[in-house]
Amino acid sequence: MSRRYPDQPLIGVSGVVVSGDKVLLVKRGRPPAVGIWSVPGGRLKLGEELRAGCAREIQEETGIKAEVGPLVEVLDRITKDNDGRVEYHYVLVDFACRAEEIPPVPGDDAGDAAWVPVSELNEERLTPDTLWVIKKAWNMINAG
């Protein structure tokens, strides 16, 4: 199935990976949102469970093995073209994750990867709703 102009929504899984006071981010290397920072994630494979897909995507995009924890949020990410047609439609399933803070190695679909202090995050550098999801996951991880 095509990612661009799909016949139905696609399922994406991503992880808010926390280590100490930092969160793991990737710079998107593919559309939509090329060049914008987000949490690591990607498309769920047929027959793959959500948490397993999340762990796989984190490792593929950053080289980091993460412990996938509880569900944080489920979001729609719909992008329309200039004619109003749905160009991209993802249903994103975000999980709170933990990992050791080792240097990330960006995968072939990530332009860059970095550990960023949560206190330095701002919405201008991130994909829509990402800061909100990070803060929600941060609160979940640090509350329990």
Side-chain angles (χ1 to χ4, degrees):
M1 177 184 304
S2 174
R3 292 174 190 239
R4 191 167 184 218
Y5 298 106
D7 294 330
Q8 61 190 32
L10 304 173
I11 299 170
V13 288
S14 55
V16 179
V17 185
V18 172
S19 182
D21 67 341
K22 296 179 181 173
V23 64
L24 183 62
L25 296 179
V26 295
K27 187 182 276 188
R28 307 302 315 164
R30 293 187 181 161
V34 173
I36 299 177
W37 290 88
S38 187
V39 293
R43 199 163 130 187
L44 189 68
K45 293 182 178 181
L46 181 66
E48 187 174 46
E49 293 183 1
L50 292 167
R51 283 180 172 76
C54 180
R56 175 187 53 77
E57 282 292 340
I58 293 166
Q59 189 163 11
E60 285 179 3
E61 288 197 343
T62 68
I64 292 176
K65 290 184 180 183
E67 176 187 332
V68 179
L71 175 70
V72 177
E73 192 62 59
V74 177
L75 300 167
D76 290 305
R77 181 72 45 81
I78 302 169
T79 306
K80 295 184 178 182
D81 65 15
N82 293 336
D83 296 326
R85 291 177 51 216
V86 174
E87 188 171 9
Y88 297 97
H89 184 170
Y90 285 93
V91 175
L92 302 177
V93 183
D94 292 302
F95 292 93
C97 305
R98 291 182 186 266
E100 181 181 342
E101 187 184 330
I102 60 172
V105 178
D108 62 354
D109 59 346
D112 198 1
W115 289 100
V116 179
V118 172
S119 62
E120 294 179 14
L121 297 176
N122 63 62
E123 289 183 357
E124 293 83 42
R125 296 182 59 201
L126 301 170
T127 55
D129 299 318
T130 299
L131 183 57
W132 177 78
V133 169
I134 290 171
K135 287 181 178 182
K136 185 174 180 181
W138 179 264
N139 290 335
M140 289 172 68
I141 288 170
N142 290 301

